[in-house]
């Protein structure tokens, strides 16, 4: 697992990959329902921006608790089920 907290550029790329299920991921990350609703209203026509802003909010409000491990757990949960994205964004590449 990568150490530390995901950087902006990683969240930018991840947001593109999770834009179709951003709300589900947000719930797994513990983002408040009111924040998810606000983002949905503010960015009605832009799924990527909803996902990106949700990920930024998660990282900013959790501070040092917004780790790769927690992101990995959310991405690979039975609800989200994206082990491929968990590995892609959270695990150390041996290449």
């Amino acid at each position: 697992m990568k150490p530390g907290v995901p950087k902006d550029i990683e969240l930018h790329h991840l947001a593109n990959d999770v834009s179709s299920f951003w709300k589900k991921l947000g719930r797994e990350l513990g983002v408040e329902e009111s924040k998810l609703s606000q983002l949905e209203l503010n960015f009605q026509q832009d799924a990527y921006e909803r996902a990106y802003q949700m990920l930024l909010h998660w990282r900013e409000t959790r501070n040092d608790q917004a780790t790769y491990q927690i992101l990995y757990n959310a991405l690979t949960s039975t609800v989200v089920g994206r082990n491929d994205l968990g590995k892609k964004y959270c695990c150390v590449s041996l290449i």
Side-chain angles (χ1 to χ4, degrees), residues 47-74:
Y48 159 80
E49 196 61 34
R50 284 191 300 259
Y52 184 61
Q53 293 299 323
M54 179 275 294
L55 289 165
L56 287 178
H57 174 79
W58 165 72
R59 190 185 64 191
E60 290 166 7
T61 57
R62 299 303 186 282
N63 300 315
D64 59 350
Q65 296 301 307
T67 64
Y68 286 103
Q69 181 67 58
I70 291 174
L71 181 58
Y72 179 84
N73 291 347

Side-chain angles (χ1 to χ4, degrees), residues 17-26 54 75 80 82 85:
D17 285 342
V18 303
S19 61
S20 64
F21 56 92
W22 69 277
K23 200 179 242 188
K24 204 184 285 190
L25 178 59
M54 179 275 294
L75 286 167
V80 177
R82 291 302 303 264
L85 295 179

